[in-house]
Structure formats: C-alpha cells, structure tokens
C-alpha cells in the first residue's frame, strides 16, 4: 500500500481528452479524483457540478474526493450525497452547525471531511476532528489553480498531525494548493497523506500525464521524503 495517495485536481484536467486521461490515471494507480465544486459566492469562480461527479462515478474506476466551496452547503450537499463511499468535504465556516452536517454526510454513506482555509486556525476546527474521515489543509486561498504556496500553512499540517495523534483519531490528512515538485517533499514531511495535484505538477501544460504521475510516485516514495513521516500515519483511507 502506498504511503502517500494522489488525488488529481479534475478542474485542471484536459476536458477535450478526459476519457483518455482518466484511463491513464487508472492504469497508474491513482487512488482518488479531486472534484472542486465552486458556486461563485464563497469563491469568485465556477467549476464543476453534480453531473460531472455522476459521470465519474458511473465510470467507476477511481473513488471521488469532492470539495464543496459553497456558501449554502446544507442545501447544495443533497446533490452530492448519493456518491456512496466518496469523500465529501466542506468549509465548516459556511454552515451554522457543522457537526450536524458531518453526521448527515456519514448517515447518507459518504465519508465526511472538512477543508481548512489559510485564514482558519486549527483551534477553530478541533471540535470537529472526532467527526471526520478527512481533513484537507489548503496551502493557498480557495478558488483558483496556479497560486503560490502560503508558507505558514506547512506548520498547520504538522500541527494537525500532532493533534490527531494526541487525540487518538484516524482521519486522513490531505493537502491542496501548489502541490509542485518542489513542495511535495515539504508537504509530506509535514504530514500530508493525500496530495491534490494540479497544474503545478501532474497537469503541467504540454507534458505527459502518465510520466508525471510516475514522477510523483518516485518523489513521494523516496527515502528522503518518507523520512519525514511518522511510523504510523493513521490514514483512514
């Protein structure tokens, strides 16, 4: 079993060659497909939607990792609760009662998660940690691909890993934002177990997707990188 999982950011994929690229991902053992759902309100951008998720789910070779960047999560989540076994994560500051929302997700068969924006402190989300299967730390501000890493977020990853160990919990730690060849080792050393890769690495324009996925594997599994990981990650995946 691989220590670090890959979740390609599907908003960065080549839509004109999507079927071919999906098969390349499956052939190279990609574990998750990260699908960003943006509403134009919580972030000033629109991306993908439930029909896109449904098409990926019907193809069915790779599990979904859905990221809701929406203001009205409690209303819109109903559109995504039918993807049994998928991760479904949201920004907890967008709802009044996040524990209730997380429990609804679990009751409906999806794996509940939270997304921690750079502006949200770890202390703000600690009460939610016992209720989740996934914590996604954003290392850029949500909304767009191609942003630069916010350096302070690396410490947030390592602090989250330490807090998880102290609490005896088993949620997976995902990192999303400027997952570049240069930043991947730093993110893994800090505690990342799932990396959301986009235009900074596997989807670089003009480069071969399969070759870049294999490059990701070599980098993520190198002894120098893995030396920064704890002996037991507690990954819930």
């Amino acid at each position: 079993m691989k220590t670090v999982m890959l979740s390609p950011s599907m908003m960065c994929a080549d839509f004109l060659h999507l079927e071919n690229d999906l098969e390349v991902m499956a052939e190279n053992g990609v574990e998750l497909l990260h699908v960003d759902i943006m509403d134009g309100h919580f972030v000033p951008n629109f991306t993908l939607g439930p029909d896109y998720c449904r098409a990926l789910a019907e193809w069915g070779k790779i599990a979904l990792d859905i990221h809701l960047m929406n203001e009205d999560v409690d209303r819109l989540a109903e559109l995504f609760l039918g993807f049994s076994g998928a991760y479904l994560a949201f920004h907890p500051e967008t709802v009044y009662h996040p524990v209730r929302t997380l429990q609804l997700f679990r009751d409906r068969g999806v794996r509940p998660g939270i997304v921690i924006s750079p502006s949200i402190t770890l202390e703000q989300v600690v009460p939610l940690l016992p209720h989740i299967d996934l914590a996604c730390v954003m290392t850029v501000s949500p909304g767009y691909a191609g942003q630069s890493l916010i350096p302070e977020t690396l410490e947030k990853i390592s602090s989250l890993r330490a807090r998880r160990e102290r609490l005896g919990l088993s949620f997976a730690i995902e990192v999303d934002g400027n997952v570049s060849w240069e930043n991947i080792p730093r993110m893994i050393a800090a505690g990342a177990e799932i990396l959301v890769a986009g235009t900074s690495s596997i989807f670089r324009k003009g480069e071969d997707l399969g070759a870049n996925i294999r490059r990701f594997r070599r980098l993520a599994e190198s002894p120098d990188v893995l030396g920064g990981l704890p002996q037991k990650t507690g990954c819930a995946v």
Side-chain angles (χ1 to χ4, degrees), residues 13 18 23 29 42 47 59 115 172 195 215 235:
L18 187 57
E23 292 297 338
F42 180 66
T47 50
W59 176 69
V115 185
L195 289 173
R215 180 180 178 184
C235 180

Side-chain angles (χ1 to χ4, degrees), residues 54-71:
R54 190 170 299 109
L56 294 177
E58 289 175 356
W59 176 69
K61 295 183 181 181
I62 303 175
L64 299 185
D65 171 24
I66 302 171
H67 174 185
L68 300 178
M69 282 181 257
N70 312 129
E71 283 187 352

Side-chain angles (χ1 to χ4, degrees), residues 204-220:
R204 290 173 70 96
K205 189 174 181 180
E207 296 185 4
D208 182 77
L209 175 61
N212 280 342
I213 293 173
R214 292 187 290 274
R215 180 180 178 184
F216 174 92
R217 297 295 190 201
R218 291 192 300 271
L219 181 59

Side-chain angles (χ1 to χ4, degrees), residues 2 8 11 33 37 94 118 128 140-141 143 156 162 170 180 183 187 198 206 213 219-220 226:
K2 297 180 178 68
M11 76 174 188
L33 298 175
I37 310 296
T94 63
L128 306 180
V140 301
S141 295
K156 187 182 291 185
S170 60
S180 66
N183 290 330
M187 293 170 171
I213 293 173
L219 181 59
L226 294 179

